[in-house]
Amino acid sequence: MNQLIFSYRRGQQLLFVLLLLVHTVASYYYISQQNITYDEPQYIEYAKRWLHGKPDRVVPLDDSKSPVVAVCWIPRIVRQIINPHYKLTDYGRKDQAEGRYMMILFSFLAAFYVYKWCRDLYGVKGWWLPVILLLFDPLYLAYSTLITTDLACGAFLVALLYHYRRYLLTGCRRQFVIAACYTGIAIVTKQMLLFVVLLLPIITIVFYWNEKKSLLNRYALGKAIIFMMIVLLVINASFYFSNTFIPFGKYIFESKTLNDLQNGLPFMHWIPVPLPQAYVQSLDMIKAHAELGAGKAESTYGGVYLFGQLNEKGGYWYYYIVTLIFKMPIGILILLCCGVVLFLRNWKQYFRNSNYLFVLSPIIFYGIILSFFNNFQTGIRHLLVIFPFVYIGLGKVLYEVCKMKLSYKIATTALILYSFISVGLYYPYIIPYTNEFIANKKIVYKIMMDSSIDYGQSDSSVNKYLIDHQEYNKPTIQPTTGKFVIPIRHIVNTRLQDKNPYLWYQKMEPTGLHRNIILLYDIKQQDLINAAYATDKKE
């Protein structure tokens, strides 16, 4: 009997490894077809300086960069160890390309905890569909090998909450330490995850209330202090303990918020800040850039773009809801809606169940943070922080379907297959994926833009297309006839706004779409006349 159980578990583990292997092959082929995106060079450069022991922020775009992406330098480090005289003269392009392959490690980490969590909640067979749907979600697949921290955020958040949940349920000290270590790493990964210092107490209070246990005992304060000490140790170690314990009054802040706080609390000037200067610097820079707003020369972002409108003053509370509706496969979207209905009908039951408390809380918490307290709404990629929990929650829907009659099972299977077909039609150029709610993909820019559609991943493809199609030309500044090829982002360009020299292309109807992101135009004289007439009539 024991041998049978062992064989079954081994089979489950082999299936999980096989899924990771297929995901890896799909991710590696996809990434080989994509240009380096806009943010990746800054992440790579900061990681390089960090590896040389220089974690300070030296340029504005260093504000959100993290040491965790230094894993992208492993291939170069290995080459250098094998051959100390190894050199490149390609301006780091090969290092960037090879470094992308290491980012799959964060994808593995997130998938591993989704696997573990679903096994705990839904049994030994309840994990494989949620894991498959996560690994081949178009957004997740698109970011599995990009050198950014968006997917890593979700990986570390699901890891720390898994172990924190295990600690609260079992009281195991090992789980306590692992949860604290992951919390420190998560905070280092992206400044947005600093909010876990609010999320964890909220979850803890609700958990103890559900369990009818007293939170206030003689050990509670001590445990909280030890937890924070481990977190601070991890954060400081991540920045080499560089300039830790600088007195609060010695800092020179860029942001008005921290300056006002410093000026308003003179009695705190002598207090040493138990964080490395590089981390405090990043918080200050991000806040300063948010206060500066969009559209300024010093700003690090161009505003929030949605439905063809640019908001320079802040974001939209419904930004991520809208992008999710258009960017998630319709079949999965329908299943998630079923999950929302299931939750709303039994919300008290789910929040009183400690197992689901840890799944639902981060989704709601970070959904509110991103929607209402985030000026940098520049792409659906920010939702990757909660994607592992979304698919763990989706596992509950699939678990309930398994207990229903055959017709429901057939309908669910059809929705999943439809989603895979929808994504497959975009592969391998899947960053700009949108579902069938947007029928005409050539005018997707009228609904959304930014990194949700064009992250600069196909810029190099324009030159290749021009070589292979001699009849096409680069875009012109003045309206003229001819055949042109232009990436979608150029005709929107939120930074230039009305000064964008390619804005006139928006008045023309594209005749084709290359790699889901490059617009093709065949402009005739009559098209120019019609566009001019439409402009005069509007005025």
Side-chain angles (χ1 to χ4, degrees), residues 30-49:
Y30 141 74
I31 207 65
S32 69
Q33 305 297 308
Q34 312 298 319
N35 188 40
I36 297 293
T37 61
Y38 296 142
D39 288 342
E40 288 179 277
Q42 284 76 36
Y43 277 101
I44 294 166
E45 183 58 30
Y46 180 78
K48 179 179 172 182
R49 281 189 273 120

Side-chain angles (χ1 to χ4, degrees), residues 289-403:
H289 295 155
E291 292 170 350
L292 183 63
K296 309 292 193 304
E298 304 85 359
S299 179
T300 56
Y301 79 114
V304 181
Y305 181 88
L306 196 65
F307 290 123
Q309 300 296 318
L310 179 67
N311 186 349
E312 296 183 4
K313 297 180 179 179
Y316 303 96
W317 68 266
Y318 50 85
Y319 176 86
Y320 293 102
I321 296 175
V322 171
T323 52
L324 198 65
I325 288 172
F326 290 110
K327 291 280 292 179
M328 180 160 276
I330 290 177
I332 305 303
L333 201 59
I334 292 173
L335 292 175
L336 285 178
C337 288
C338 293
V340 172
V341 172
L342 185 66
F343 164 70
L344 292 176
R345 289 176 59 185
N346 305 281
W347 68 272
K348 289 185 179 180
Q349 173 189 337
Y350 287 120
F351 271 117
R352 287 175 180 171
N353 186 321
S354 298
N355 288 320
Y356 297 107
L357 168 66
F358 286 85
V359 176
L360 296 171
S361 295
I363 295 174
I364 296 171
F365 181 82
Y366 272 102
I368 293 171
I369 294 293
L370 289 170
S371 298
F372 294 97
F373 303 98
N374 172 33
N375 289 336
F376 297 92
Q377 294 175 340
T378 54
I380 193 176
R381 57 193 171 90
H382 299 148
L383 287 184
L384 283 167
V385 69
I386 59 172
F387 256 49
F389 302 97
V390 168
Y391 281 95
I392 293 170
L394 186 61
K396 176 62 176 176
V397 177
L398 300 171
Y399 178 75
E400 294 297 329
V401 168
C402 289
K403 298 187 291 185

Side-chain angles (χ1 to χ4, degrees), residues 123-134:
V124 292
K125 293 183 179 180
W127 64 268
W128 62 275
L129 262 181
V131 169
I132 290 173
L133 294 177
L134 173 70

Side-chain angles (χ1 to χ4, degrees), residues 155-166:
F156 289 125
L157 184 61
V158 73
L160 80 88
L161 285 178
Y162 177 85
H163 289 287
Y164 192 69
R165 163 181 163 268
R166 296 289 297 172

